[in-house]
Amino acid sequence: MRIVSAIQPSGRLHLGNYFGALQKYIKVQEEGQALFFIADLHALTTVRNGQQLQEMTYGLALDYLAFGLDPKKTILFRQSDVLEHTELAWYLATVAPMGLLERAHSYKDKVIRGLFPSVGLFAYPILMAADILLYRADRVPVGKDQMQHLEIARDLANKFNTAYVLGYDASDPEGTKEGNAPGILTLPSPFFMKDESIVPGTDGAKMSKSYNNVIEIFADEAIITKKIMSIKTDSSSVIEPKDMRVSPIFALLQLLVTPSEMADIEESCRIGGKGYSTYKHRLLECFYETFRTVRQRRKELEGEKGYVKNVLNQGAERARQYASSTMEDIRKAVGTARK
Ligand code: TYM
């Protein structure tokens, strides 16, 4: 099984990235050949400072390693080190209907939030599809917010296969029925956990680097305390029952405590008698119980520049082998292969 995913180095790693992505990376790296990369080309749609991008790219490599992604097994690399990502994105762009991208929520949301509406931001799902299809991924561990992007990747694989593979039938992508041919590009499936949902930020909206509502995993203690203590609540008094839908504290606690503790929390909300600050303090404790070791490990890795660079270079070397094999088939099909 081929597993592919990525995180943008456009800010520091937060709880949404952990529960939506990294936690699953750690789990699935044992289940097949995983390729996890740092999506620096994607981050160019928001980051306009070269040095900052370099630093955040290095920072994300530290995050991956601190969380225990194992470079001996898993391929860890930087997107821009494998040029085939942008080449495949162009081929896909030529079969991508405008309407498909116009329906993408993420572009509209980002523009409403004030991001510059560049062609790059609009075409972002095409590059993401290329990232996945280039490695013929079977599984893509992502958070629920990426669902539509995954559907677009599947759609584009189908469009490409239909355009270039004689006998390809979109209802039989592997070509198992008599007379049908398999596609050149594999249709990927998302990988979600049972009952997974989007992780809310401190204001209750989706936790996102661009919304200033994140709880960063590797921030200084003072900042983490401030962020958790500032989580949105209502003005109900200590003795009043708490409506768990009002404050994101409870959705965040649910991610970090055991089911039996969560049942106790639910009960205490129902009967009242505990103020929001009690729950916030518990969240703070849970945060450190979960992340103390990785925070420590990341600190230790910080000085190991040579090692980290080496991991990324070797990862890129291995990723290129997969990429060039797919591209050979693609260039042959579209007519750009060297004769
Ligand atoms: P990015 O960098 O925004 O987020 C990285 C991963 O974290 C997940 N995530 C969340 N999950 C749940 N709740 C949240 N609040 C939350 N915030 C972020 C995302 O779902 C993602 O899995 N386009 C992608 C990066 C990308 C990619 C790819 C992913 C580029 N190429 C190829 C998979 C395959 C993105 O912007 O993720």
Side-chain angles (χ1 to χ4, degrees):
M1 185 163 68
R2 201 75 63 74
I3 303 146
V4 172
S5 198
I7 298 178
Q8 292 190 66
S10 52
R12 298 183 42 186
L13 200 78
H14 57 72
L15 288 180
N17 299 137
Y18 175 69
F19 287 106
L22 252 173
Q23 189 187 37
K24 295 186 257 176
Y25 296 1
I26 299 159
K27 187 171 140 59
V28 297
Q29 73 171 344
E30 307 301 333
E31 293 169 12
Q33 179 57 65
L35 297 102
F36 296 132
F37 62 92
I38 299 167
D40 58 344
L41 296 177
H42 284 275
L44 286 175
T45 56
T46 52
V47 181
R48 287 276 184 277
N49 177 322
Q51 191 183 336
Q52 201 187 3
L53 185 68
Q54 292 280 6
E55 283 166 12
M56 291 196 292
T57 299
Y58 180 71
L60 190 50
L62 291 178
D63 300 343
Y64 280 176
L65 293 167
F67 270 106
L69 296 185
D70 175 6
K72 287 203 196 76
K73 190 170 184 319
T74 294
I75 301 176
L76 301 176
F77 64 104
R78 187 170 77 140
Q79 183 185 26
S80 58
D81 282 336
V82 183
L83 300 177
E84 286 85 348
H85 287 250
T86 44
E87 185 187 355
L88 179 54
W90 179 253
Y91 295 138
L92 294 176
T94 64
V95 295
M98 281 296 287
L100 182 67
L101 298 183
E102 279 162 358
R103 287 192 291 278
H105 312 305
S106 157
Y107 175 77
K108 288 183 243 174
D109 292 347
K110 285 177 177 169
V111 172
I112 288 170
R113 295 269 177 175
L115 289 192
F116 173 57
S118 64
V119 174
L121 192 67
F122 182 71
Y124 183 109
I126 299 183
L127 182 58
M128 179 160 160
D131 297 339
I132 297 166
L133 303 176
L134 185 57
Y135 300 103
R136 297 188 158 123
D138 303 296
R139 286 267 176 287
V140 185
V142 281
K144 279 274 166 85
D145 61 315
Q146 297 293 318
M147 209 141 85
Q148 193 185 29
H149 285 155
L150 253 290
E151 277 158 22
I152 294 176
R154 287 172 64 88
D155 254 16
L156 293 182
N158 260 328
K159 291 264 182 305
F160 184 91
N161 290 338
T162 305
Y164 288 108
V165 180
L166 202 64
Y168 179 77
D169 175 353
S171 67
D172 177 26
E174 284 163 25
T176 50
K177 287 189 208 131
E178 173 105 32
N180 284 351
I184 294 175
L185 297 176
T186 306
L187 268 60
S189 305
F191 174 85
F192 297 128
M193 308 287 255
K194 198 170 148 269
D195 302 327
E196 181 174 334
S197 47
I198 291 179
V199 178
T202 51
D203 57 358
K206 171 191 152 183
M207 186 175 288
S208 166
K209 290 161 204 162
S210 31
Y211 301 173
N212 194 26
N213 65 357
V214 301
I215 299 172
E216 292 172 354
I217 294 170
F218 297 108
D220 292 341
E221 287 187 16
I223 294 178
I224 290 164
T225 306
K226 197 167 151 213
K227 281 285 182 171
I228 289 183
M229 290 304 165
S230 72
I231 290 175
K232 184 189 124 187
T233 58
D234 62 12
S235 54
S236 48
S237 66
V238 173
I239 51 160
E240 280 177 272
K242 305 286 172 297
D243 179 346
M244 293 178 70
R245 290 163 304 184
V246 166
S247 171
I249 306 173
F250 301 105
L252 293 170
L253 273 169
Q254 181 150 31
L255 293 165
L256 290 162
V257 303
T258 60
S260 82
E261 183 175 348
M262 200 58 213
D264 293 344
I265 290 172
E266 276 165 25
E267 178 62 9
S268 70
C269 283
R270 208 180 51 75
I271 56 180
K274 280 190 180 161
Y276 283 112
S277 73
T278 307
Y279 299 110
K280 288 181 176 176
H281 280 114
R282 180 64 191 131
L283 185 60
L284 200 55
E285 269 172 15
C286 292
F287 177 90
Y288 287 111
E289 281 164 18
T290 309
F291 299 114
R292 187 172 290 114
T293 318
V294 284
R295 283 168 60 86
Q296 182 59 34
R297 210 179 301 145
R298 191 182 189 281
K299 267 215 182 89
E300 288 158 14
L301 276 166
E302 257 164 33
E304 312 245 358
K305 277 221 157 85
Y307 168 70
V308 176
K309 239 168 121 181
N310 221 5
V311 166
L312 294 183
N313 288 342
Q314 285 181 6
E317 198 62 49
R318 289 168 72 194
R320 270 185 227 115
Q321 288 169 13
Y322 287 93
S324 62
S325 137
T326 312
M327 289 315 292
E328 235 172 69
D329 294 346
I330 289 178
R331 292 186 198 119
K332 244 186 244 157
V334 301
T336 56
R338 291 224 176 87
K339 289 263 174 190

